[in-house]
Amino acid sequence: MCQPPAVALSLTVSVLAESESASAALVVPHSPVGHHTDLDALRAWAQHCDVVTFDHEHVPQEVLAALAADGVELHPSPDALVYAQDKLAMRERLTALGLPCPRWTRARTAEEVEAFAAEVGWPLVVKAPRGGYDGKGVQVCREPAEVEPWLSGVGEGGLADGLLLEEAVDFTRELSIMVGRSPSGQAAAWPVVETVQEGGINTEVLAPAPGLDPDLATSLTEGALRIAGELGVTGVMAVEVFEVTRVGPDGGTRAAYLVNELAMRPHNSGHWTIDGSVTSQFEQHLRAVLDLPLGDPSARDAWTASANVLGGDYAELYGTYKHLMARDPGLKIHLYGKGVRPGRKLGHVTVYGGRSGDLHSLEALRERARHAADYLQGVVTE
Amino acid sequence: MCQPPAVALSLTVSVLAESESASAALVVPHSPVGHHTDLDALRAWAQHCDVVTFDHEHVPQEVLAALAADGVELHPSPDALVYAQDKLAMRERLTALGLPCPRWTRARTAEEVEAFAAEVGWPLVVKAPRGGYDGKGVQVCREPAEVEPWLSGVGEGGLADGLLLEEAVDFTRELSIMVGRSPSGQAAAWPVVETVQEGGINTEVLAPAPGLDPDLATSLTEGALRIAGELGVTGVMAVEVFEVTRVGPDGGTRAAYLVNELAMRPHNSGHWTIDGSVTSQFEQHLRAVLDLPLGDPSARDAWTASANVLGGDYAELYGTYKHLMARDPGLKIHLYGKGVRPGRKLGHVTVYGGRSGDLHSLEALRERARHAADYLQGVVTE
């Protein structure tokens, strides 16, 4: 998805692809096949690159260190990327910086689990510090018995350093804010968006987050820019947060946030920017990792609504285009060239327009986006 | 430039490229090298394509006929494309349809030139009916001696059927209108734009054309849609016209148009649509040739201003990005991956915004676009 802005800017993208049929390999001419843990493959490929960046967070630190020692320019750097790879490291660092997080602890034993539960109450959110994505590696546990299988894995793989336990946050909704930051330190934030979740999967993104308290928007933007700066992030980063309600000493309430996850790459919650912002997250990521000045992250319309397309009833989706395009000439369809599997994130659709502050006009956009996603999934057939 | 929307729609593009370093071959994985007059190369490539379309108009009719006889789906069809290949055929057909053209004739001899000049006066515009582009194959001749070298070529190459002579139109400005049309007959027009020319080369595109008479906009839109329908155009087409002033019987004046050129492909005067319209000309072209429903051609902003980037002082343009991007974070840069030659069209820049009907806000956009183009060309250095 970086290929379109790379084409516009006449930049040459090369992808180390997991297979010849990988989405990126289908659209990028220079796509040697190699695994992201294969140092020889990475070295052979990286020697032709001015800058190396990442599609996911799973390249091991020892591999990154070897590439860095070769003189390969990596963005984000391994020192920053570790906070997107390791949720325990992230929690420790953000807590040290005074940024708001759910209450959390590291646990290796049933006793440590019980002690934390005594403090924050059940249920607990149990996370594998490494290797999780899209709700995988996360479980809401309602009693000690549900944590037991996790404890048996401690010391290995993603649980090498123990479990990350977090309180189950009583949140109003989930928000995300994306920022771009360059090696020179320039940084820019897109508007805060609402990410609607169903079953742990993000299904809709609404930009900007409707009805967001302006003070919360400001503190969240400042927080995300501070994280980017303190962690030395280069490229784009998503900060996914819970919106919560806090009661003040006078009994009044105010909106606040708790950081849920960090992703140091273009992110699903930023796909709306392809059509909805002056500078898409993919163009911004290219600019940032090349240390070019960042583009304007402003929204182009009052509202932009995106809905994710998950694998559904159809083995191939081209057959849906005729109806969808005829029904809604303003619909922007984005499919990722992935094979269809039930529940797999295959693409997204975006619509934009409406009137600023008018929630009815946002609802009309949401309805169009949701209909299109439902139709692509076979949930509706007209 | 069709690759970005093809990526979004998960369509596979394959290009028969003139060389391995052709712009399209740099960004499209399936780009066998072959010449557009080499029927064997075309056949080998086309057998893997559901639909074949064109980057330029120069594939010979006999080659197209052979491909069509093989069952290759060609859009636009050879029967339509001939009117973009052969300016004499175009003038004959549009005149037969009653569409407004400059006065014109076919000439093979000095006597025929003199007879036409006696009717419309000097200077005359002399055109090669076939093979011209970007002002090449066109000359404004002020006297018979200037036409003589042309006459000596009659009977060969682009002059096989004679010269096309046209009156030199006293026009107000040049406009262009683009339409998309599908094999099913659905058609959609973008707003009429003004194309600013310098030395026969289009340097700026202003969308919509500022201060355009609404009646002229309507008649031009109707005319372009009629041309597309009557000629059976599939894909996108640009109709380039002269805006002229006509004096009515009551002495009043009104704006009118005369068709200058047709191009049956994405066109320079439609590059503004990449950033400025809900549906870009490249996405629309893909939709149209695949007989998918067409997308919304509306402008997204009050004004969009593009400026073409011609080859200038710099051998490579990446070095200009730092200053340009820092100066104008809203600037959209589009370079085409071509080698730099003086005067060669290398790319364009686009900015959008302003207030509808407010010409001052358009001027501010033009200034930004022109500055960027000048900087990319080395005309200004700050």
Side-chain angles (χ1 to χ4, degrees), chain A residues 148-214:
Chain A
E148 263 174 42
W150 286 83
L151 287 167
S152 66
V154 164
E156 289 163 32
L159 309 182
D161 299 321
L163 306 178
L164 171 60
L165 304 184
E166 297 178 354
E167 66 175 319
V169 174
D170 182 21
F171 57 86
T172 316
R173 58 176 171 174
E174 295 189 51
L175 305 171
S176 176
I177 177 160
M178 292 202 64
V179 299
R181 185 176 175 277
S182 69
S184 295
Q186 191 198 5
W190 283 274
V192 177
V193 302
E194 178 176 343
T195 57
V196 180
Q197 317 279 329
E198 288 177 26
I201 301 279
N202 173 223
T203 52
E204 284 179 87
V205 174
L206 311 177
L212 185 66
D213 177 341

Side-chain angles (χ1 to χ4, degrees), chain A residues 1 3-5 7-12 25-30 184 274-280 283 287 290-296 300-301 304 318 321-323 325-338 352, chain B residues 1 3-5 7-12 25-30 184 274-280 283 287 290-296 300-301 304 318 321-323 325-338 352:
Chain A
M1 296 168 88
Q3 172 76 332
V7 169
L9 292 172
S10 211
L11 306 172
T12 305
L26 300 177
V27 300
V28 173
H30 315 283
S184 295
I274 300 171
D275 300 298
S277 171
V278 176
T279 308
S280 79
E283 178 177 344
R287 288 181 180 228
L290 291 166
D291 207 11
L292 290 169
L294 300 180
D296 180 354
R300 292 189 65 175
D301 285 83
T304 304
Y318 184 78
Y321 284 6
K322 200 142 232 168
H323 178 71
M325 290 177 173
R327 190 181 194 273
D328 190 345
L331 180 74
K332 305 314 290 184
I333 299 172
H334 297 268
L335 296 181
Y336 309 153
K338 294 180 183 175
Y352 45 76
Chain B
M1 296 167 86
Q3 171 78 333
V7 169
L9 292 172
S10 210
L11 306 171
T12 305
L26 300 178
V27 300
V28 173
H30 315 282
S184 295
I274 300 170
D275 300 298
S277 172
V278 177
T279 307
S280 79
E283 178 177 345
R287 288 180 180 228
L290 291 166
D291 207 12
L292 290 170
L294 300 180
D296 180 353
R300 292 189 64 174
D301 284 83
T304 305
Y318 184 79
Y321 284 7
K322 201 140 232 172
H323 178 70
M325 290 177 173
R327 190 180 195 272
D328 191 345
L331 180 74
K332 305 313 292 184
I333 299 172
H334 297 267
L335 296 181
Y336 309 153
K338 295 178 182 176
Y352 46 77

Side-chain angles (χ1 to χ4, degrees), chain B residues 113-348:
Chain B
V113 174
E114 289 286 1
F116 184 66
E119 184 190 336
V120 306
W122 293 94
L124 297 181
V125 180
V126 183
K127 294 184 177 178
R130 293 168 172 271
Y133 63 97
D134 258 2
K136 296 183 181 66
V138 177
Q139 188 183 349
V140 178
C141 294
R142 292 173 198 286
E143 52 179 19
E146 290 186 331
V147 188
E148 264 174 40
W150 285 84
L151 287 167
S152 66
V154 164
E156 289 164 31
L159 309 182
D161 299 321
L163 306 178
L164 171 59
L165 304 184
E166 298 178 353
E167 65 175 318
V169 174
D170 181 21
F171 56 85
T172 316
R173 58 178 171 173
E174 295 190 54
L175 305 172
S176 176
I177 176 159
M178 293 203 64
V179 299
R181 185 176 175 278
S182 69
S184 295
Q186 191 198 4
W190 281 274
V192 176
V193 302
E194 177 175 344
T195 57
V196 180
Q197 317 279 329
E198 287 176 27
I201 301 278
N202 172 221
T203 53
E204 284 179 87
V205 174
L206 311 177
L212 186 65
D213 177 341
D215 290 341
L216 176 56
T218 301
S219 70
L220 186 43
T221 304
E222 287 173 351
L225 290 169
R226 183 152 173 253
I227 293 170
E230 295 280 0
L231 272 50
V233 174
T234 44
V236 301
M237 174 179 67
V239 182
E240 295 182 277
V241 308
F242 300 118
E243 180 175 346
V244 294
T245 303
R246 289 287 179 252
V247 181
D250 61 351
T253 60
R254 65 177 178 82
Y257 75 91
L258 299 172
V259 175
N260 183 17
E261 306 272 2
L262 300 186
M264 291 185 198
R265 52 174 166 75
H267 186 257
N268 194 267
S269 67
H271 285 346
W272 72 276
T273 62
I274 300 170
D275 300 298
S277 172
V278 177
T279 307
S280 79
Q281 63 169 344
F282 297 100
E283 178 177 345
Q284 198 77 304
H285 190 66
L286 291 173
R287 288 180 180 228
V289 302
L290 291 166
D291 207 12
L292 290 170
L294 300 180
D296 180 353
S298 302
R300 292 189 64 174
D301 284 83
W303 300 108
T304 305
S306 281
N308 283 317
V309 177
L310 307 178
D313 289 352
Y314 304 123
E316 66 90 20
L317 299 178
Y318 184 79
T320 65
Y321 284 7
K322 201 140 232 172
H323 178 70
L324 274 184
M325 290 177 173
R327 190 180 195 272
D328 191 345
L331 180 74
K332 305 313 292 184
I333 299 172
H334 297 267
L335 296 181
Y336 309 153
K338 295 178 182 176
V340 176
R341 285 200 307 263
R344 189 182 198 194
K345 221 173 263 177
L346 302 177
H348 70 275

Side-chain angles (χ1 to χ4, degrees), chain A residues 251-271:
Chain A
T253 60
R254 64 178 178 81
Y257 74 90
L258 299 173
V259 175
N260 181 18
E261 306 271 2
L262 300 185
M264 291 184 197
R265 52 176 165 77
H267 186 257
N268 194 267
S269 68
H271 284 346

